[in-house]
Protein backbone atom coordinates (compact mmCIF):
# COMPACT_ATOMS: atom_id res chain seq x y z
CA UNK A 1 0.00 0.00 0.00
CA UNK A 2 1.04 3.59 -0.61
CA UNK A 3 1.58 5.67 2.53
CA UNK A 4 1.70 9.46 2.61
CA UNK A 5 3.73 11.14 5.34
CA UNK A 6 3.92 14.79 6.31
CA UNK A 7 6.96 15.22 8.53
CA UNK A 8 8.05 18.14 10.73
CA UNK A 9 11.45 19.45 9.69
CA UNK A 10 13.67 21.88 11.54
CA UNK A 11 17.41 22.30 11.49
CA UNK A 12 18.00 25.18 13.94
CA UNK A 13 21.43 25.85 12.35
CA UNK A 14 19.82 26.58 9.01
CA UNK A 15 16.05 27.10 9.28
CA UNK A 16 14.41 30.18 10.76
CA UNK A 17 11.04 28.45 10.99
CA UNK A 18 9.95 24.80 11.07
CA UNK A 19 8.39 23.39 7.93
CA UNK A 20 6.64 20.19 6.89
CA UNK A 21 7.89 17.90 4.15
CA UNK A 22 5.82 15.31 2.28
CA UNK A 23 7.03 11.81 1.46
CA UNK A 24 5.34 8.81 -0.11
CA UNK A 25 6.50 5.24 0.54
CA UNK A 26 5.22 1.79 -0.36
CA UNK A 27 4.69 -0.38 2.70
CA UNK A 28 3.26 -3.73 3.70
CA UNK A 29 0.19 -3.27 5.97
CA UNK A 30 1.92 -5.23 8.75
CA UNK A 31 4.92 -2.88 8.78
CA UNK A 32 5.29 -0.16 11.39
CA UNK A 33 5.55 3.60 11.04
CA UNK A 34 9.22 3.22 12.01
CA UNK A 35 9.82 0.94 8.99
CA UNK A 36 8.47 3.70 6.75
CA UNK A 37 10.64 6.32 8.42
CA UNK A 38 13.69 4.13 7.88
CA UNK A 39 12.76 3.65 4.24
CA UNK A 40 12.38 7.40 3.76
CA UNK A 41 15.76 8.03 5.36
CA UNK A 42 17.62 5.21 3.62
CA UNK A 43 16.06 5.56 0.18
CA UNK A 44 14.82 9.14 -0.22
CA UNK A 45 16.23 11.68 2.21
CA UNK A 46 19.27 10.98 4.38
CA UNK A 47 18.94 14.38 6.08
CA UNK A 48 15.77 13.35 7.95
CA UNK A 49 16.65 12.97 11.65
CA UNK A 50 14.95 10.87 14.33
CA UNK A 51 15.98 8.54 17.13
CA UNK A 52 15.51 4.77 17.07
CA UNK A 53 17.32 1.78 18.46
CA UNK A 54 15.58 -1.48 19.44
CA UNK A 55 12.69 -1.31 16.98
CA UNK A 56 10.55 -3.32 19.39
CA UNK A 57 9.11 -1.06 22.09
CA UNK A 58 11.94 -1.62 24.54
CA UNK A 59 14.33 1.36 24.40
CA UNK A 60 11.76 4.18 24.23
CA UNK A 61 13.87 6.25 21.83
CA UNK A 62 11.43 6.65 18.91
CA UNK A 63 8.67 8.47 20.79
CA UNK A 64 7.06 11.17 18.65
CA UNK A 65 3.68 12.69 17.87
CA UNK A 66 1.84 10.57 15.31
CA UNK A 67 -1.32 12.18 13.97
CA UNK A 68 -1.53 14.31 17.10
CA UNK A 69 -0.91 11.58 19.67
CA UNK A 70 2.36 10.76 21.45
CA UNK A 71 3.42 7.19 20.64
CA UNK A 72 6.32 4.94 19.67
CA UNK A 73 6.82 4.75 15.90
CA UNK A 74 7.89 1.11 16.25
CA UNK A 75 4.54 0.16 17.84
CA UNK A 76 2.22 1.75 15.28
CA UNK A 77 1.15 -0.40 12.36
CA UNK A 78 0.85 1.12 8.93
CA UNK A 79 -2.53 -0.57 8.32
CA UNK A 80 -4.06 1.48 11.15
CA UNK A 81 -3.46 4.63 9.09
CA UNK A 82 -4.67 3.24 5.73
CA UNK A 83 -6.04 5.95 3.48
CA UNK A 84 -4.97 8.76 5.82
CA UNK A 85 -2.03 11.09 5.73
CA UNK A 86 0.35 10.37 8.62
CA UNK A 87 1.68 13.50 10.29
CA UNK A 88 4.88 13.00 12.31
CA UNK A 89 6.01 15.69 14.74
CA UNK A 90 8.49 15.86 17.63
CA UNK A 91 7.28 15.32 21.19
CA UNK A 92 5.54 18.47 22.46
CA UNK A 93 6.81 20.20 25.64
CA UNK A 94 10.40 19.46 24.57
CA UNK A 95 12.96 21.62 22.77
CA UNK A 96 13.55 20.41 19.21
CA UNK A 97 17.18 19.67 18.41
CA UNK A 98 16.56 18.58 14.81
CA UNK A 99 13.46 17.31 12.99
CA UNK A 100 11.94 14.62 15.27
CA UNK A 101 14.80 14.66 17.79
CA UNK A 102 14.13 16.49 21.05
CA UNK A 103 16.35 17.47 23.95
CA UNK A 104 15.82 14.90 26.74
CA UNK A 105 18.33 16.39 29.23
CA UNK A 106 15.83 18.07 31.54
CA UNK A 107 13.54 15.02 31.42
CA UNK A 108 16.30 12.71 32.68
CA UNK A 109 17.53 15.32 35.19
CA UNK A 110 14.06 15.38 36.74
CA UNK A 111 13.80 11.61 36.91
CA UNK A 112 17.23 11.55 38.57
CA UNK A 113 16.09 14.12 41.14
CA UNK A 114 13.88 11.51 42.82
CA UNK A 115 16.75 9.03 43.17
CA UNK A 116 15.24 6.37 40.89
CA UNK A 117 16.99 3.49 42.57
CA UNK A 118 16.63 1.50 45.77
CA UNK A 119 18.25 2.83 48.95
CA UNK A 120 18.57 0.57 51.96
CA UNK A 121 20.54 0.95 55.17
CA UNK A 122 20.38 -2.80 55.80
CA UNK A 123 23.60 -4.75 55.50
CA UNK A 124 24.22 -6.28 52.10
CA UNK A 125 22.67 -9.76 51.96
CA UNK A 126 24.64 -12.79 50.83
CA UNK A 127 22.51 -13.04 47.71
CA UNK A 128 19.60 -10.88 46.47
CA UNK A 129 17.19 -8.81 48.58
CA UNK A 130 14.05 -10.93 48.56
CA UNK A 131 10.43 -9.87 48.19
CA UNK A 132 7.18 -11.74 48.58
CA UNK A 133 4.92 -12.00 45.54
CA UNK A 134 2.55 -9.53 47.21
CA UNK A 135 5.35 -7.03 47.71
CA UNK A 136 6.62 -7.29 44.15
CA UNK A 137 3.07 -6.96 42.79
CA UNK A 138 2.87 -3.43 44.20
CA UNK A 139 5.50 -2.23 41.71
CA UNK A 140 4.92 -4.71 38.90
CA UNK A 141 3.18 -2.17 36.65
CA UNK A 142 5.51 0.81 37.07
CA UNK A 143 8.66 -1.25 36.45
CA UNK A 144 7.53 -1.52 32.82
CA UNK A 145 8.49 2.14 32.24
CA UNK A 146 10.98 2.58 29.38
CA UNK A 147 11.47 6.35 29.86
CA UNK A 148 10.06 7.16 26.44
CA UNK A 149 8.64 10.50 27.73
CA UNK A 150 5.29 10.14 25.93
CA UNK A 151 3.47 10.81 29.21
CA UNK A 152 5.39 13.98 30.03
CA UNK A 153 5.05 15.26 26.46
CA UNK A 154 1.28 14.73 26.49
CA UNK A 155 0.72 16.24 29.95
CA UNK A 156 -1.23 19.54 29.94
CA UNK A 157 0.26 20.48 33.34
CA UNK A 158 3.81 20.13 32.01
CA UNK A 159 2.82 22.48 29.21
CA UNK A 160 1.68 25.14 31.73
CA UNK A 161 4.18 24.68 34.57
CA UNK A 162 7.77 24.32 33.43
CA UNK A 163 8.92 23.46 36.97
CA UNK A 164 6.51 20.50 37.23
CA UNK A 165 8.41 17.27 37.77
CA UNK A 166 6.14 15.40 35.37
CA UNK A 167 4.43 12.00 35.22
CA UNK A 168 7.44 9.89 34.28
CA UNK A 169 9.31 11.25 37.30
CA UNK A 170 6.44 10.19 39.53
CA UNK A 171 6.38 6.71 38.02
CA UNK A 172 10.03 6.26 39.02
CA UNK A 173 9.39 7.74 42.46
CA UNK A 174 6.48 5.31 42.89
CA UNK A 175 8.77 2.45 42.05
CA UNK A 176 11.04 3.29 44.99
CA UNK A 177 8.35 4.45 47.45
CA UNK A 178 6.36 1.23 47.23
CA UNK A 179 9.29 -1.16 46.94
CA UNK A 180 9.54 -3.13 50.20
CA UNK A 181 13.35 -3.12 49.95
CA UNK A 182 13.69 0.69 50.05
CA UNK A 183 13.83 2.58 53.36
CA UNK A 184 13.70 6.21 52.18
CA UNK A 185 9.91 6.34 51.93
CA UNK A 186 9.41 9.40 54.12
CA UNK A 187 12.04 11.59 52.45
CA UNK A 188 10.79 10.50 49.04
CA UNK A 189 7.22 11.47 49.93
CA UNK A 190 8.37 14.80 51.39
CA UNK A 191 10.14 15.62 48.14
CA UNK A 192 6.95 15.12 46.11
CA UNK A 193 4.67 16.97 48.55
CA UNK A 194 4.62 20.24 46.53
CA UNK A 195 2.71 21.89 43.70
CA UNK A 196 5.58 21.11 41.33
CA UNK A 197 5.40 17.58 42.69
CA UNK A 198 2.38 15.28 42.76
CA UNK A 199 -0.06 18.00 43.87
CA UNK A 200 0.45 19.67 40.48
CA UNK A 201 -1.31 16.73 38.83
CA UNK A 202 -4.87 17.68 37.86
CA UNK A 203 -5.95 14.23 36.69
CA UNK A 204 -6.14 14.92 32.97
CA UNK A 205 -5.27 11.22 32.37
CA UNK A 206 -3.39 12.10 29.14
CA UNK A 207 -0.28 10.34 30.51
CA UNK A 208 -2.25 7.15 31.04
CA UNK A 209 -3.85 7.35 27.59
CA UNK A 210 -0.56 7.60 25.73
CA UNK A 211 1.70 5.31 27.78
CA UNK A 212 2.90 2.59 25.35
CA UNK A 213 3.52 0.20 28.25
CA UNK A 214 -0.03 0.62 29.60
CA UNK A 215 1.14 1.82 32.97
CA UNK A 216 -1.68 3.36 35.04
CA UNK A 217 0.29 6.58 35.42
CA UNK A 218 -2.46 8.83 36.84
CA UNK A 219 -3.56 6.13 39.28
CA UNK A 220 0.04 5.76 40.45
CA UNK A 221 0.29 9.54 41.05
CA UNK A 222 -2.94 9.45 43.04
CA UNK A 223 -1.64 6.53 45.09
CA UNK A 224 1.42 8.62 45.99
CA UNK A 225 -0.90 11.50 47.00
CA UNK A 226 -2.83 9.15 49.30
CA UNK A 227 0.42 7.88 50.85
CA UNK A 228 1.52 11.48 51.48
CA UNK A 229 -1.79 12.20 53.21
CA UNK A 230 -1.50 9.04 55.29
CA UNK A 231 2.16 9.33 56.29
CA UNK A 232 2.85 13.07 56.39
CA UNK A 233 -0.41 14.92 57.01
CA UNK A 234 -2.52 12.67 59.21
CA UNK A 235 -1.36 13.56 62.72
FE1 LIG B 1 6.85 6.20 28.65
FE2 LIG B 1 4.82 5.18 30.11
FE3 LIG B 1 7.26 5.48 31.21
FE4 LIG B 1 5.77 7.62 30.67
S1 LIG B 1 5.28 6.02 32.16
S2 LIG B 1 7.96 7.39 30.23
S3 LIG B 1 4.74 6.99 28.79
S4 LIG B 1 6.71 4.14 29.50
FE1 LIG C 1 13.06 1.24 20.78
FE2 LIG C 1 10.83 2.02 19.46
S1 LIG C 1 12.85 1.88 18.69
S2 LIG C 1 11.08 1.60 21.57
Amino acid sequence: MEMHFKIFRLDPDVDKEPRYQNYTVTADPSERVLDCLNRIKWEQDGSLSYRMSCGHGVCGSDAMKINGRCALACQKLVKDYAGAEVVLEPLPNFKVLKDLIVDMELFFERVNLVRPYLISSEALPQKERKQTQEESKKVSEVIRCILCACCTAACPVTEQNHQYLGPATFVWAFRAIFDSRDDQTRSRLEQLDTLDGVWGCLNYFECTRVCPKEIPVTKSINTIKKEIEKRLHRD
Side-chain angles (χ1 to χ4, degrees):
M1 59 198 287
E2 209 167 65
M3 293 295 300
H4 301 284
F5 287 88
K6 182 175 166 186
I7 304 182
F8 177 100
R9 304 296 311 266
L10 175 71
D11 181 348
D13 290 339
V14 181
D15 303 322
K16 284 202 174 70
E17 295 290 332
R19 62 195 161 86
Y20 286 83
Q21 194 161 348
N22 295 312
Y23 300 92
T24 300
V25 288
T26 305
D28 189 272
S30 63
E31 286 188 296
R32 293 93 35 89
V33 167
L34 181 62
D35 297 313
C36 296
L37 261 179
N38 288 340
R39 203 162 297 138
I40 291 168
K41 184 169 179 71
W42 297 336
E43 297 170 8
Q44 297 183 32
D45 184 350
S47 71
L48 179 65
S49 301
Y50 53 93
R51 286 195 182 102
M52 61 133 327
S53 182
C54 71
H56 294 282
V58 178
C59 71
S61 64
D62 62 338
M64 59 188 70
K65 210 159 132 186
I66 305 176
N67 281 1
R69 201 177 171 93
C70 299
L72 300 177
C74 65
Q75 277 193 339
K76 293 296 170 190
L77 293 177
V78 159
K79 66 179 179 196
D80 294 332
Y81 301 95
E85 182 179 58
V86 184
V87 182
L88 302 182
E89 295 167 302
L91 287 179
N93 294 333
F94 285 80
K95 182 183 159 204
V96 176
L97 296 179
K98 188 169 186 289
D99 300 339
L100 302 173
I101 297 180
V102 295
D103 187 348
M104 301 284 286
E105 282 289 318
L106 186 58
F107 173 80
F108 288 120
E109 263 173 36
R110 287 193 170 149
V111 172
N112 281 330
L113 268 182
V114 297
R115 299 170 294 164
Y117 39 81
L118 297 182
I119 304 174
S120 172
S121 50
E122 276 181 23
L124 271 181
Q126 286 292 331
K127 289 187 180 170
E128 74 272 28
R129 294 182 197 273
K130 289 192 175 162
Q131 285 188 301
T132 64
Q133 283 192 355
E134 272 312 298
E135 285 168 342
S136 83
K137 214 168 140 196
K138 282 190 184 163
V139 292
S140 63
E141 291 171 316
V142 292
I143 61 172
R144 297 199 296 258
C145 179
I146 55 171
L147 288 168
C148 67
C150 282
C151 54
T152 298
C155 172
V157 179
T158 305
E159 193 183 346
Q160 299 290 323
N161 175 6
H162 295 185
Q163 304 308 315
Y164 184 51
L165 291 177
T169 304
F170 303 140
V171 163
W172 282 80
F174 184 108
R175 181 180 179 154
I177 290 166
F178 293 98
D179 193 306
S180 55
R181 298 163 296 182
D182 187 275
D183 60 18
Q184 292 298 304
T185 313
R186 190 173 181 90
S187 70
R188 292 183 187 283
L189 292 173
E190 282 169 350
Q191 187 185 19
L192 300 180
D193 186 18
T194 70
L195 279 177
D196 295 331
V198 288
W199 300 110
C201 171
L202 300 175
N203 287 307
Y204 285 104
F205 277 85
E206 283 303 318
C207 51
T208 305
R209 275 182 209 111
V210 299
C211 177
K213 306 313 275 185
E214 296 180 351
I215 297 169
V217 184
T218 318
K219 184 175 153 218
S220 303
I221 298 170
N222 287 331
T223 305
I224 297 174
K225 287 179 182 171
K226 280 189 203 142
E227 199 68 11
I228 288 175
E229 285 295 341
K230 193 170 98 188
R231 298 249 203 155
L232 307 184
H233 299 166
R234 207 174 284 166
D235 287 326

